[in-house]
Amino acid sequence: MSDNIESTLTETRHFAPPAEFTENARLKPADLEALHQKAEADYEGFWCDLAREKIDWKTEFAQGLDESKAPHYQWFADGRMNVSYNCIDRHLEVRGNKTAIVFEAENGDTRHLTYRDLYNEVGKLANALKGMGVVKGDRLIIYMPMDAEAVIAMQACARIGAIHSVVFGGFSADALRDRVVDSGSKVVITADGGERGGKVVGLKANVDKALDSNPGDVEKVVVCKRAGNDVTMHADRDVWWEDAVDGESVDCEPEWVEAEHPLFLLYTSGSTGKPKGIQHSSAGYLLGAIVTNEWVFDLQGDDVYWCTADVGWITGHTYVAYGPLAVGATQVVYEGTPTVPDAGRWWKMCQDHGVTVFYTAPTAIRALMKAGPDLPKQYDLSKLRLLGTVGEPINPEAWMWYYTTVGEERCPIVDTWWQTETGANMIAPIPGATTLVPGSCTQALPGIAADVVDEDGKSLGADEGGYLVIKKPWPHMLRTVWGDDQRYKDTYWPKFGGKYYLAGDSARRDAEGNFWIMGRIDDVLNVSGHRMGTMEVESALVAHKAVAEAAVVGRPHDVKGEAIVAFVILQGDRLTGDEAEEMVKELRNWVADQIGPIAKPDDIRFADGLPKTRSGKIMRRLLRSIAKGEEITSDTSTLENEAVIPQLQGKA
Ligand code: ATP
Ligand code: MG
């Protein structure tokens, strides 16, 4: 028996890029081929040329890749630039009056901000922050609703060389405090409250709670008036955003920072453990944001782009706050839930704003598919030309629904694999060039040396599952874990002589060279000596018409090594009693038919929902504890729906 992971998923549907798409795409097959060849022939030169072409520099760089402090790699280190300048100022002359952001609130209120408006708002806030004593290198927490002001706050920090750390507005006071303290932040930018699902979340109240018990280094709290709820303002410490920017000039000379100057810290989702403060650079990060928005999302002059991610996640950094602006696009920003007033809200917004490129997560696709399978058909989605997904493997059945019902079989789907740590898309289709296979993120982007290797770092053959690694440093990679270089080394470079970046995911490549993400390394099941990725068993379950969502984990078993436990969310209501027993039998046989008897779940449990991180990812580490019948002691501070836990435990 090999140590590698066996693949059980057989997906044979292929979708070649539509000719019309290719004709108008930025990258046609020959362009993509040329980029790959250039990256092969001269890796460092490839990235340096792009950095010169795509970024406006204050001081040109002479140094490309510097490996002297490996694994703390540096790129373009002797160059100087400013990210906010590259996102805003450089557009003013040609597209100052172009809409940068179309903001829609849950209640339907809409406003448009041009690039000029953005320049003015960012400049005023940047000057106000400087007036509060914020200087280059200081850290700030941004704890805001998903509105245009969140983007303005991020850009204002970038403008003055302050390092932001955005904390998702759905996080508790405890989670906020941890991040305030760990980052040593001097200022918190927040709002009175955020509106979600018709309810007001007291963001300012959470800030008070977090700071009252441990203010860390926080000197100032800037509060944006948003929901209009009552708040307590602490004299000396708290100031209204509106008052802070009152009378400030719109012009704020950008701080010209070194390429390696940290642009931001972002704590990971916490799917697998205590969140890590991932530190990103300025120039290398921006370069990744620019090229992937051009290559993968094909953003062009009159596109209307909508990435639904919150700025609290990396996706909301690279594909909302920075990338689309750096390439001069128009984008939609929405504060609210996708199901208000019903599960057609997003599709209506795509229609109303003429969205052409749409990017979301599998968890949202599955939820909207469950809540309203035919709702997209009620709206005019004919402007859509490209769809994307990120965050988790997308089950082929969800992919097919997205493709046929939302994209009307016209829009390619870019399934983008990447991480907080990688800064931007790493493995993803190029929509005008790549043939798609549902469930696969297809091929590594030009200049990204992704591979699947075994325990010894040896490249694996077709359909052999192993470790997903990146074999060469890339410009938009993380630089370290904030304040913890050792954790950086131990987490990402522990194997293969410290030469390869270890992503922490398991994967395989098929005979065509397409990548398939199989799950986290920790999630590999070992049943009677067969090593399987949880993702594949889940996809088999979701392919059954009664199943909306499924999560699979292992539990120690005397004979088999591991038994398979499946947590299943059905379409419609949760079943109990005889009906549940019948369904369990049916699903076990179904999986046996789809994959083979070896993958038959030993235990199937139904619940109304799965435990998820606030970014919508299934928390398998928690499910593993539940499957074993353990007390839940692990950190659940990033968990969204604690109420489902007793159901999953079989206690409710
Ligand atoms: P933590 O690192 O704290 O456990 P996290 O890994 O969930 O949290 P993120 O950086 O937001 O935090 O997520 C990156 C992970 O998401 C990847 O390692 C991978 O497991 C998964 N992922 C992202 N995109 C895809 C995709 N297109 N296909 C499959 N998996 C994906
Ligand atoms: Mg991770």
Side-chain angles (χ1 to χ4, degrees):
M1 193 72 48
S2 92
D3 281 344
N4 301 331
I5 307 162
E6 296 169 47
S7 174
T8 53
L9 187 78
T10 46
E11 176 60 59
T12 53
R13 290 169 283 198
H14 283 65
F15 299 87
E20 202 199 322
F21 193 101
T22 302
E23 200 174 307
N24 299 310
R26 275 178 179 269
L27 294 189
K28 304 183 189 359
D31 305 317
L32 177 60
E33 190 46 40
L35 286 175
H36 278 302
Q37 274 176 11
K38 188 162 176 214
E40 280 288 299
D42 175 13
Y43 184 77
E44 193 178 340
F46 169 81
W47 282 116
C48 288
D49 285 352
L50 283 170
R52 283 189 198 99
E53 183 193 329
K54 306 289 182 188
I55 293 176
D56 284 6
W57 294 87
K58 183 71 175 174
T59 316
E60 286 274 335
F61 61 90
Q63 265 170 287
L65 169 63
D66 177 358
E67 305 191 272
S68 62
K69 299 188 189 79
H72 301 281
Y73 296 96
Q74 304 204 325
W75 285 87
F76 325 124
D78 58 345
R80 280 181 177 266
M81 46 78 75
N82 179 279
V83 169
S84 168
Y85 177 89
N86 274 272
C87 292
I88 303 172
D89 306 39
R90 66 166 164 174
H91 302 308
L92 293 180
E93 208 168 300
V94 273
R95 54 182 83 86
N97 293 324
K98 179 176 177 175
T99 300
I101 295 177
V102 184
F103 173 74
E104 184 170 323
E106 197 169 68
N107 68 12
D109 287 353
T110 301
R111 75 182 159 127
H112 288 247
L113 280 130
T114 63
Y115 276 91
R116 171 66 63 186
D117 296 334
L118 208 53
Y119 173 87
N120 294 344
E121 298 302 319
V122 168
K124 282 194 283 184
L125 182 63
N127 281 323
L129 293 172
K130 274 166 80 172
M132 291 171 202
V134 177
V135 296
K136 179 184 167 197
D138 282 346
R139 275 84 57 212
L140 285 86
I141 293 281
I142 297 175
Y143 182 62
M144 301 271 290
M146 184 56 201
D147 60 11
E149 271 65 30
V151 176
I152 291 167
M154 294 163 80
Q155 287 284 344
C157 290
R159 195 157 190 94
I160 60 175
I163 305 168
H164 62 68
S165 178
V166 181
V167 177
F168 175 52
F171 278 159
S172 64
D174 288 345
L176 176 64
R177 183 189 311 111
D178 290 348
R179 289 157 178 75
V180 166
V181 172
D182 192 80
S183 62
S185 286
K186 193 163 168 181
V187 172
V188 176
I189 305 180
T190 188
D192 48 2
E195 282 174 281
R196 269 188 102 78
K199 278 189 299 224
V200 172
V201 183
L203 295 173
K204 172 62 166 64
N206 279 347
V207 172
D208 293 340
K209 211 167 142 198
L211 298 187
D212 288 350
S213 59
N214 183 354
D217 302 322
V218 173
E219 293 166 11
K220 285 273 174 229
V221 177
V222 180
V223 189
C224 181
K225 218 168 257 160
R226 182 87 196 97
N229 51 315
D230 285 340
V231 299
T232 317
M233 295 295 273
H234 295 230
D236 301 339
R237 191 192 71 185
D238 301 350
V239 50
W240 289 104
W241 174 313
E242 293 73 2
D243 295 338
V245 300
D246 190 34
E248 291 292 350
S249 163
V250 297
D251 298 311
C252 175
E253 171 71 7
E255 178 83 34
W256 303 106
V257 300
E258 313 79 60
E260 282 295 322
H261 181 67
L263 177 63
F264 64 85
L265 313 179
L266 183 63
Y267 291 81
T268 55
S269 314
S271 305
T272 53
K274 182 172 172 277
K276 304 171 273 287
I278 302 302
Q279 178 180 322
H280 276 288
S281 70
S282 292
Y285 169 79
L286 184 69
L287 182 59
I290 293 173
V291 296
T292 55
N293 274 285
E294 290 183 352
W295 295 345
V296 181
F297 294 100
D298 192 44
L299 290 185
Q300 302 191 35
D302 42 14
D303 271 317
V304 178
Y305 180 59
W306 185 14
C307 164
T308 66
D310 192 282
V311 287
W313 314 121
I314 189 69
T315 311
H317 284 58
T318 311
Y319 300 99
V320 180
Y322 291 113
L325 297 177
V327 303
T330 295
Q331 67 175 323
V332 174
V333 170
Y334 172 53
E335 182 198 0
T337 40
T339 48
V340 175
D342 61 40
R345 177 62 180 262
W346 280 3
W347 317 129
K348 180 172 188 308
M349 284 181 60
C350 284
Q351 167 188 281
D352 293 353
H353 300 300
V355 172
T356 57
V357 180
F358 180 75
Y359 189 26
T360 194
T363 179
I365 296 168
R366 289 191 300 261
L368 294 179
M369 183 175 156
K370 179 176 178 186
D374 293 323
L375 277 174
K377 295 193 182 121
Q378 294 179 14
Y379 301 95
D380 177 3
L381 300 179
S382 60
K383 289 254 174 65
L384 280 177
R385 63 181 193 95
L386 178 59
L387 302 173
T389 115
V390 61
E392 281 183 296
I394 179 163
N395 317 103
E397 289 319 304
W399 194 103
M400 286 306 299
W401 180 79
Y402 199 27
Y403 184 75
T404 51
T405 310
V406 180
E408 298 167 344
E409 299 182 32
R410 174 188 66 245
C411 309
I413 295 180
V414 288
D415 175 354
T416 59
W417 177 86
W418 61 298
Q419 309 176 294
T420 307
E421 295 87 341
T422 67
N425 298 166
M426 299 289 279
I427 308 179
I430 301 299
T434 311
T435 292
L436 309 173
V437 192
S440 165
C441 48
T442 71
Q443 311 266 344
L445 296 180
I448 300 300
D451 198 5
V452 178
V453 301
D454 68 9
E455 208 46 55
D456 305 318
K458 195 170 101 334
S459 292
L460 288 170
D463 289 329
E464 293 183 311
Y467 297 98
L468 179 59
V469 296
I470 314 294
K471 292 179 155 177
K472 287 183 188 157
W474 63 102
H476 37 290
M477 68 193 300
L478 77 165
R479 296 310 196 253
T480 191
V481 171
W482 178 255
D484 199 346
D485 288 345
Q486 197 56 45
R487 190 161 180 213
Y488 170 70
K489 289 181 190 144
D490 294 347
T491 308
Y492 304 106
W493 310 91
K495 292 169 96 74
F496 320 121
K499 276 199 339 242
Y500 300 163
Y501 169 83
L502 180 71
D505 288 342
S506 59
R508 71 179 164 97
R509 299 183 78 171
D510 63 21
E512 293 154 21
N514 287 319
F515 283 84
W516 295 80
I517 307 300
M518 301 173 83
R520 311 295 176 119
I521 292 173
D522 306 342
D523 290 338
V524 172
L525 300 163
N526 190 337
V527 183
S528 308
H530 295 273
R531 285 162 51 84
M532 291 181 279
T534 47
M535 156 66 188
E536 301 194 331
V537 185
E538 287 162 10
S539 282
L541 284 163
V542 175
H544 188 284
K545 63 181 185 320
V547 177
E549 205 165 12
V552 164
V553 297
R555 170 176 71 205
H557 186 280
D558 290 346
V559 183
K560 297 197 278 189
E562 252 180 330
I564 299 180
V565 183
F567 299 91
V568 172
I569 315 308
L570 296 172
Q571 306 278 3
D573 291 336
R574 179 157 70 107
L575 296 181
T576 47
D578 289 350
E579 279 181 326
E581 265 173 50
E582 275 306 305
M583 183 56 79
V584 166
K585 262 191 233 153
E586 186 171 330
L587 291 177
R588 295 191 63 210
N589 292 334
W590 170 264
V591 173
D593 285 348
Q594 298 273 307
I595 300 183
I598 187 78
K600 239 185 184 180
D602 298 84
D603 186 355
I604 295 184
R605 300 187 197 177
F606 300 113
D608 293 329
L610 294 170
K612 291 195 178 161
T613 65
R614 310 257 168 177
S615 53
K617 294 186 208 209
I618 300 166
M619 263 214 194
R620 289 195 184 68
R621 70 181 152 93
L622 207 81
L623 289 174
R624 276 198 295 271
S625 301
I626 293 174
K628 286 190 224 155
E630 289 172 358
E631 281 292 313
I632 294 170
T633 51
S634 53
D635 177 11
T636 55
S637 67
T638 58
L639 187 64
E640 193 187 54
N641 44 353
E642 277 178 274
V644 298
I645 291 185
Q647 293 178 1
L648 298 160
Q649 289 172 319
K651 293 185 187 160

